[in-house]
């Protein structure tokens, strides 16, 4: 099994479950030589969780192949916002007013329109990133109406040791209340369930590349 053959198998499975679901190939920690076969196969959506790593790994490649979409799926610190706006096309982890304002400012400076998912802390875990449930609706409205950010959907990361159904349902409900069409949910171990609950963007790493060290 190679990353490409794993990817092709998953792609077939996903397309049979839903015609609306995109696969984000999560390439964090993996070397560009491991990723190349999937790029050459024609896949365009890749996920990274660290700005610095993404910049080093992808800058040359995206310059040569501007159709590649890079998705930031990890926490973003405001001092990395400028670099993030430069290299990424999608940010899945928008979760504070402060960050939203900084990103708005940075993307205007270079006249780039990033597409955002707002991360919601559906499990209400204190250590987890994501906007609190009780203020999620207000924050979504703020980003759309006050900042005119292009908010395309919501993202969540359910607790690893729990059945995810409840959290996926909750995220879907908030998206419907706010007329948001996209849901970034589901990883290697729960993407089939996530698709059943309406995921439009599954983020898959280890099932393609193997375990990360
Ligand atoms: C690493 C990561 C993934 C991919 O996880 P796998 O279990 O390897 O598929 C998806 N989403 C986020 C936010 C991640 O950090």
């Amino acid at each position: 099994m190679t990353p490409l053959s794993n990817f092709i198998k998953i792609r077939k499975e996903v397309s049979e479950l839903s015609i609306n679901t995109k696969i984000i190939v999560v390439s964090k920690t993996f070397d560009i030589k491991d990723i190349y076969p999937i790029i050459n196969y024609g896949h365009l959506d890749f996920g990274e969780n660290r700005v610095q790593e993404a910049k080093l790994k992808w800058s040359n490649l995206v310059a040569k192949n501007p159709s590649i979409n890079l998705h930031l799926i990890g926490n973003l610190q405001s001092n990395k916002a400028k670099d993030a706006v430069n290299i990424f096309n999608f940010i899945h982890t928008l979760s504070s007013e402060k960050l939203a304002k900084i990103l708005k400012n940075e993307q205007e400076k270079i006249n780039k329109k990033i597409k955002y998912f707002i991360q919601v802390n559906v499990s209400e875990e204190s250590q987890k990133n994501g906007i609190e449930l009780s203020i999620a609706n207000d924050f979504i409205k703020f980003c759309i109406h006050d900042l005119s950010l292009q908010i395309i959907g919501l993202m969540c990361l359910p607790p690893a040791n729990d059945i995810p159904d409840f959290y996926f349902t909750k995220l879907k409900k908030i998206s419907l209340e706010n007329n948001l069409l996209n849901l970034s949910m589901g990883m290697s171990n729960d993407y089939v369930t996530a698709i059943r609950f309406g995921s439009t963007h599954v983020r898959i790493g280890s099932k393609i590349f193997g375990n990360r060290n």
Side-chain angles (χ1 to χ4, degrees), residues 26 28 49 73 155 157 187-188 203-207 212:
V26 176
K28 66 186 185 195
N49 68 336
I73 60 168
M155 179 272 211
L157 255 175
M187 309 175 25
S188 287
R203 310 177 307 263
I204 302 179
S206 51
K207 201 163 177 190
R212 288 176 294 269

Side-chain angles (χ1 to χ4, degrees), residues 24 26 28 30 48-49 72-75 92-93 119 155-157 184 186-191 202-208 210-212:
I24 297 169
V26 176
K28 66 186 185 195
F30 290 97
E48 292 283 343
N49 68 336
L72 177 63
I73 60 168
N75 290 358
H92 291 237
T93 49
Q119 183 175 358
M155 179 272 211
C156 76
L157 255 175
S184 169
M187 309 175 25
S188 287
N189 57 2
D190 59 8
Y191 67 90
V202 289
R203 310 177 307 263
I204 302 179
S206 51
K207 201 163 177 190
I208 294 170
N211 289 330
R212 288 176 294 269

Side-chain angles (χ1 to χ4, degrees), residues 159-173:
N161 53 357
D162 205 347
I163 297 169
D165 304 30
F166 171 80
Y167 307 105
F168 292 158
T169 307
K170 196 132 202 161
L171 198 69
K172 172 94 188 181
K173 180 170 172 283

Side-chain angles (χ1 to χ4, degrees), residues 119-142:
Q119 183 175 358
V120 183
N121 187 357
V122 281
S123 48
E124 306 191 83
E125 295 166 278
S126 57
Q127 82 285 8
K128 196 162 267 178
N129 200 36
I131 193 80
E132 266 178 63
L133 271 180
S134 60
I135 53 171
N137 285 334
D138 286 343
F139 180 61
I140 293 166
K141 290 187 176 74
F142 171 77

